[in-house]
Amino acid sequence: MERYTKNPIISRTQIPDIPPHLVDVTSVFNPGAVRFKDKILLILRVQNRGRETFFLMAESHDGIHFSIAKEPVRFNGIENLNKTVYHCYDARITELEGTYYIMFAMDMDEGCHIGLSRTEDFKTFEFMGITTAEDSRNGVLFPEKINGKYMRLDRPNRVAISDGPTTGNAIVLSESEDLLHWQQIKQVITGRFHYWDELIGAGPPPIKTKKGWLQIYHGVATHLSTIFIYQAGVMLLDLENPATVIGRSHQNILEPRELYELTGQVPNVVFPSGAVVEKLDSNGFAEPDSNVYIYYGAADTSVCMASVTVEQLTKWALNN
Ligand code: BMA
C-alpha cells in the first residue's frame, strides 16, 4: 500500500484541549472511517494521561486534513447498562440501510465485548447494546443483509498469552435478525502459527466488489511472546456466502517500517480500522480501478493513511 507521504495525518498535538479529561492528550489512533455527504469522517480513539479512552469525531473534505470536534462522542443510553465500562475503543463504521452503525470494543469486568451504537447524523449517537456473549473484539458489520440476515465478523478472545492478555487466532462469521443477538456460522480463517499472522482480527468493514467481499485484517507475529508485530493482510470472501474464503494474502500488505509505526506507545503496530472507497457503482460495488483510502493507527500513537486500488487488493488476496 502507498503511505501518504506526510503521515501521520493526525497526531496528539492536533487534539484540542477539552478540560477536564482531554488536556495535553497522550495518543490518537485506530480510527473508524466513513464517507458522509461530501466529507470523510473519522471516529478517533483518544487516550489521556490517565489512560482513559474517548471517541472524538474528525471531519475532512480531502481525507487528509481533518478538523477535530471539541466535544467527545456520547453514546446515549450506555449509562443504563449499570455496568462499569472501562474503555470503548477501535470503532468500525458501517452504513447499512441508510443508518450508520458503529461497532466497538468495550472493556468491562466481564471481559471485552462488542458494543453497537447507531447514528443518522454523527451528532447524536444511540447506544443499542452489547452484541456478544463471549469475550470478543474487532467486530465489523457487513454493509448489507445477505440471504435476509445481518452479517458480522468478529474475533473471539480464546487465546491466553503467557503473562499477557487474552487474544484470538480466529475470525468468525455470525448472522443476526436484529443486530443484537448473533449466531455463529463458521470460523472463516485462523492464524498461521510461526508466520506473520499468528493472531488475527478483522480490520475495516468488508468492501463489496464484483469478485467478492474484500476484508482487510490485522495479523500479529508473536515471536513466541517476546515481541508483537502488527501488520495488515487481505482476504476475499464469497459474495453470497462469506463463510467461503476465495483467497487470502500469503504475505502482509502493510507492515511497520516508518519511524512513526516502529516507535510509540506500542511499538511495531499498523492497525487498519477504517477504509473509504473512492468509486462505487450504483449497486454499491467498488470499481476495480477505484482508490481505497485506508486509515490506520500507527504504534498506538497517531493516525495514518495509505492508499491502494481495489484491483490491487484483490490481486493480493488471490495471491495465496
Ligand atoms: C490490540 C488492540 C488494539 C491495539 C493493538 C496494539 O490488541 O488493543 O487496539 O492497537 O492491540 O496495542
Side-chain angles (χ1 to χ4, degrees), residues 32 38 44 47 50 57 61 65 78 99-100 163 185 203 205 209 212-213 219 247-248 264 310:
D38 59 342
L44 306 171
Q47 227 168 53
M57 291 296 313
H61 281 289
H65 303 92
I78 202 165
T99 295
Y100 296 87
D163 299 327
I185 303 175
T209 76
W213 296 100
R248 174 181 181 183
V310 169

Side-chain angles (χ1 to χ4, degrees), residues 161-162 192-199 219-231 252 255-256 262 267-268:
I161 302 282
S162 61
R192 294 180 279 209
F193 194 45
H194 293 293
Y195 297 105
W196 74 269
D197 52 353
E198 298 181 288
L199 306 172
V220 186
T222 66
H223 293 260
L224 303 169
S225 301
T226 51
I227 264 192
F228 288 72
I229 303 178
Y230 280 72
Q231 309 130 90
N252 77 50
E255 64 179 7
L262 297 165
N268 302 315

Side-chain angles (χ1 to χ4, degrees), residues 44 76 113 121 126 180 188 198 224 244 254-255 262 312:
L44 306 171
N76 295 321
H113 287 278
D121 55 10
E126 177 199 343
L180 289 177
V188 178
E198 298 181 288
L224 303 169
T244 304
L254 186 73
E255 64 179 7
L262 297 165
Q312 184 63 68

Side-chain angles (χ1 to χ4, degrees), residues 6-202:
K6 293 193 186 131
N7 270 343
I9 58 165
I10 306 178
S11 309
R12 57 164 219 89
T13 50
Q14 282 158 265
I15 305 301
D17 278 354
I18 311 171
H21 297 294
L22 295 177
V23 176
D24 185 30
V25 301
T26 300
S27 51
V28 49
F29 54 111
N30 300 3
V34 73
R35 186 186 298 283
F36 179 69
K37 298 182 179 163
D38 59 342
K39 289 182 182 153
I40 291 177
L41 305 184
L42 303 180
I43 299 184
L44 306 171
R45 170 177 175 181
V46 178
Q47 227 168 53
N48 71 11
R49 296 173 68 161
R51 287 285 182 281
E52 294 164 322
T53 310
F54 296 82
F55 281 136
L56 278 186
M57 291 296 313
E59 61 172 55
S60 166
H61 281 289
D62 63 4
I64 299 286
H65 303 92
F66 282 88
S67 56
I68 295 160
K70 305 218 162 41
E71 278 292 321
V73 168
R74 250 189 72 83
F75 291 144
N76 295 321
I78 202 165
E79 60 282 358
N80 300 332
L81 266 182
N82 285 323
K83 289 184 176 179
T84 305
V85 179
Y86 295 101
H87 301 281
C88 291
Y89 56 100
D90 295 359
R92 306 320 205 277
I93 310 170
T94 301
E95 183 185 358
L96 176 58
E97 298 165 339
T99 295
Y100 296 87
Y101 292 92
I102 300 129
M103 283 202 150
F104 50 95
M106 296 172 71
D107 283 352
M108 300 188 298
D109 287 322
E110 38 280 270
C112 182
H113 287 278
I114 298 174
L116 182 65
S117 288
R118 73 176 157 210
T119 182
E120 310 287 330
D121 55 10
F122 289 95
K123 291 194 176 94
T124 56
F125 297 81
E126 177 199 343
F127 179 69
M128 296 171 67
I130 292 173
T131 68
T132 39
E134 182 182 0
D135 200 298
S136 190
R137 246 203 308 272
N138 301 305
V140 299
L141 210 51
F142 283 70
E144 57 189 54
K145 282 183 170 173
I146 300 174
N147 303 319
K149 301 268 177 63
Y150 296 111
M151 292 283 170
R152 177 187 75 188
L153 296 171
D154 72 309
R155 201 287 311 279
N157 297 318
R158 295 173 186 161
V159 178
I161 302 282
S162 61
D163 299 327
T166 309
T167 165
N169 64 353
I171 295 178
V172 169
L173 180 74
S174 303
E175 61 179 26
S176 169
E177 301 273 357
D178 63 0
L179 291 168
L180 289 177
H181 303 89
W182 292 86
Q183 199 66 43
Q184 289 189 5
I185 303 175
K186 202 182 160 207
Q187 206 159 274
V188 178
I189 59 166
T190 52
R192 294 180 279 209
F193 194 45
H194 293 293
Y195 297 105
W196 74 269
D197 52 353
E198 298 181 288
L199 306 172
I200 50 177

